[in-house]
Amino acid sequence: MKKCVKRLCIGVCLFLFCMGMTVSAEEATILKGVKIDGVDVSGMTRAEAVKALEAHEKQVGEQKISLKIGDETVEAELSALGISCGDTEAVNEALGIGRTGNIVKRYKDQKDLQHSGKEFALSWEANERLVKSFVEENCTQFDREAENASLSRTNGEFQFVAGKQGLVLDVDGSAEAILDYLAGGWTPDAANCVVELKTKITEPEGSAEELANVKDLLGSFTTSFSTSSAKRCMNLNSGAEHINGTVLYPGEGFSTYEAVAPFTEENGYAMAGSYLNGEVVDSMGGGICQVSTTLYNAVLRAELEVTERSPHSMTVHYVELSEDAAIAGTYKDFKFVNSSSYPVYIEGYTTADKKITFNIYGKETRDSNRTISFESVKVSNVGGGTVLTENGGLPLGYKSASKGMQGYVAELYKVVKVNGVETERIKINKSTYKGSNRVVTYGTAGDPVLAENLRAAIALQDEALADANIAGVVPAAPEAAPEAAPAQ
């Protein structure tokens, strides 16, 4: 009898338990004691639980992790990395706890909830595209090229300057490291979240032993700028300073433009005369071509390989024909390569007596009985004629003439001698320089007969005949022809 009563009681409890579960299932709310990723979702419907997790996801997105790049650190908000959980399965599991399985399992699950509760974990992941974009935009700023070992020269003595390692960020590898970290057990409550990004160390070139070979003067050249204005002097001094101290290793190239640019006041330059389309105009850095020209001649004497050189549009006064090397924008540059087997050092400076010098030091490997010299050869004349024009606003008898400039075609030769005997004559370059015409202007206002005769002489471009036509006319005071400013 007692056993029957006990079984009846258990049956009634289970019946009441099942009735309770049925009511709860109809309400479709999560039982008390359930959390998802730390968020208490007790008593929530599915929609309410999803909304609560969306708010949680937004809050997590405001958290930051530290990205280490060598000795540097970048803080990244998780939202910028596209962090998300996107895990609705956890809500389904939360709704099902204490409601699925047989009666005994449901009863046990509900008792466990009352005793210790239940928490479901979310699966977090970042957006690969956003992670890579963040790394490229915010972390590559710490990339640095290796600084090769170098030299400084003080009071005629060389001192070794050690190089520095370079660092380059591996963008793809770093993005993968971040994705793996966030998907591999990371949780929003984790402290000190640090991800070491992937980098590659680049070693500097050169050693004290290698640079000790730099001691011999391989080539030197000096030009004068004694007639230059103060601003042009300033430009030459700045250009020499930008190049001075350059060390080139075997096979390494040099661009004069890259070394001396940009042509701004902040970089030490001023407005001064230079050539532009065959005319002398003021430009920022005017005179810089004398810097490249002087360096060009030092490089020729060091017998390094010249890879790019252009002549000026018109002749310059500070070197012979074909010995110049122009710089113009980015389309004319003087470039060369250290074609020797040892490092070279470039020394450049200006002096108080307005001279600029470039010296190239390295290891001398040329035979001592061998000498070189350079010879400029004029091939032909170009342009530079006389053009007669009239000005009807000026009186008869008026004559003025501008100063023209002769143009040339020229070649530069390297002459090699061994024991004083010429063994080679090598053409280095061929250069063409535009000429500018001498323009003669006559006034034609006045006596119609004389004016007509003068115009006929001008049409024939006969200066002697034109002069004869105005020989008996009292000339007006002539205007002095403008003097050209020193150009590059």
Side-chain angles (χ1 to χ4, degrees):
M1 183 65 182
K2 290 181 180 180
K3 288 183 179 182
C4 290
V5 172
K6 184 176 181 181
R7 287 174 183 172
L8 179 61
C9 290
I10 293 174
V12 170
C13 289
L14 288 174
F15 173 76
L16 294 174
F17 173 69
C18 291
M19 289 296 293
M21 287 191 298
T22 302
V23 172
S24 298
E26 289 173 354
E27 293 175 353
T29 58
I30 299 170
L31 297 180
K32 186 177 180 180
V34 178
K35 293 182 178 180
I36 301 177
D37 213 59
V39 178
D40 190 347
V41 291
S42 300
M44 293 184 183
T45 63
R46 176 185 175 80
E48 291 170 338
V50 169
K51 187 175 181 180
L53 291 183
E54 287 174 351
H56 177 56
E57 184 178 81
K58 183 178 179 180
Q59 187 177 29
V60 170
E62 296 172 354
Q63 296 182 23
K64 295 180 180 181
I65 62 171
S66 298
L67 308 178
K68 291 282 291 180
I69 310 106
D71 296 329
E72 305 292 341
T73 300
V74 171
E75 298 291 328
E77 277 199 1
L78 292 174
S79 59
L81 306 178
I83 194 71
S84 65
C85 58
D87 196 348
T88 56
E89 186 58 34
V91 177
N92 294 333
E93 292 180 1
L95 280 167
I97 190 72
R99 303 189 184 285
T100 58
N102 57 42
I103 293 176
V104 175
K105 180 179 183 305
R106 297 176 193 180
Y107 177 77
K108 181 178 183 305
D109 288 345
Q110 289 196 15
K111 287 298 182 181
D112 288 341
L113 284 177
Q114 294 172 10
H115 182 260
S116 58
K118 176 72 175 179
E119 182 166 359
F120 295 93
L122 290 176
S123 177
W124 294 92
E125 61 181 15
N127 182 287
E128 183 176 357
R129 180 182 60 82
L130 291 179
V131 170
K132 186 173 181 180
S133 176
F134 183 91
V135 171
E136 287 178 330
E137 294 175 8
N138 299 277
C139 302
T140 55
Q141 61 179 306
F142 301 110
D143 285 4
R144 61 177 184 270
E145 293 185 1
E147 295 182 21
N148 292 337
S150 187
L151 293 169
S152 64
R153 184 172 170 82
T154 307
N155 298 323
E157 297 292 331
F158 286 111
Q159 287 82 39
F160 174 73
V161 180
K164 296 180 181 179
Q165 288 182 327
L167 180 144
V168 179
L169 185 70
D170 177 355
V171 174
D172 290 336
S174 296
E176 186 177 350
I178 295 171
L179 291 167
D180 289 346
Y181 175 80
L182 294 176
W186 170 86
T187 58
D189 58 352
N192 301 320
C193 301
V194 179
V195 181
E196 292 279 350
L197 300 192
K198 305 294 184 181
T199 59
K200 179 181 179 182
I201 301 296
T202 56
E203 296 297 333
E205 190 173 2
S207 64
E209 181 180 6
E210 186 176 11
L211 291 173
N213 289 298
V214 179
K215 55 187 177 183
D216 302 317
L217 181 62
L218 304 181
S220 178
F221 200 77
T222 299
T223 60
S224 172
F225 53 97
S226 58
T227 60
S228 295
S229 65
K231 290 183 177 179
R232 190 173 187 276
C233 294
M234 174 181 173
N235 293 337
L236 267 71
N237 182 66
S238 294
E241 286 183 346
H242 286 306
I243 297 172
N244 182 51
T246 298
V247 172
L248 298 176
Y249 286 86
E252 188 174 359
F254 179 85
S255 161
T256 306
Y257 177 82
E258 290 178 2
V260 299
F263 299 114
T264 61
E265 290 184 1
E266 293 76 13
N267 206 29
Y269 295 105
M271 298 291 287
S274 63
Y275 285 147
L276 178 64
N277 298 324
E279 296 182 359
V280 177
V281 298
D282 275 352
S283 65
M284 186 62 72
I288 197 65
C289 287
Q290 187 166 352
V291 175
S292 60
T293 291
T294 308
L295 178 60
Y296 172 55
N297 282 274
V299 168
L300 289 178
R301 283 151 182 79
E303 296 188 89
L304 302 179
E305 180 186 354
V306 174
T307 55
E308 183 179 334
R309 171 263 172 192
S310 299
H312 286 77
S313 58
M314 298 164 66
T315 59
V316 294
H317 65 281
Y318 43 83
V319 289
E320 298 295 327
L321 298 174
S322 282
E323 289 184 344
D324 60 319
I327 293 181
T330 56
Y331 62 92
K332 281 187 179 181
D333 194 1
F334 168 52
K335 298 179 180 179
F336 67 95
V337 171
N338 177 11
S339 50
S340 75
S341 301
Y342 299 90
V344 297
Y345 176 91
I346 304 174
E347 179 182 47
Y349 58 88
T350 59
T351 55
D353 59 347
K354 293 189 175 182
K355 291 180 179 179
I356 180 171
T357 296
F358 280 103
N359 297 317
I360 298 179
Y361 293 91
K363 182 176 176 63
E364 184 60 84
T365 59
R366 296 170 291 188
D367 293 337
S368 59
N369 62 345
R370 177 182 177 275
T371 61
I372 61 170
S373 60
F374 294 85
E375 182 180 325
S376 173
V377 178
K378 190 186 300 179
V379 176
S380 62
N381 293 345
V382 177
T386 297
V387 177
L388 307 186
T389 64
E390 68 164 295
N391 187 329
L394 295 172
L396 283 164
Y398 175 88
K399 177 184 178 181
S400 68
S402 68
K403 184 179 180 181
M405 183 178 291
Q406 181 65 59
Y408 303 97
V409 174
E411 296 174 342
L412 184 65
Y413 288 85
K414 179 169 73 172
V415 180
V416 181
K417 293 182 179 181
V418 178
N419 294 323
V421 179
E422 183 176 320
T423 59
E424 289 182 280
R425 180 173 288 263
I426 305 165
K427 185 167 75 172
I428 300 301
N429 70 55
K430 183 175 183 178
S431 306
T432 299
Y433 304 92
K434 297 177 182 177
S436 62
N437 292 326
R438 173 176 168 266
V439 179
V440 182
T441 302
Y442 292 93
T444 55
D447 185 279
V449 176
L450 284 177
E452 188 61 30
N453 291 337
L454 179 57
R455 289 192 183 97
I458 293 172
L460 293 171
Q461 292 292 295
D462 189 331
E463 186 176 1
L465 181 59
D467 288 346
N469 274 282
I470 62 172
V473 180
V474 178
E479 294 183 3
E483 290 292 329
Q488 289 191 10

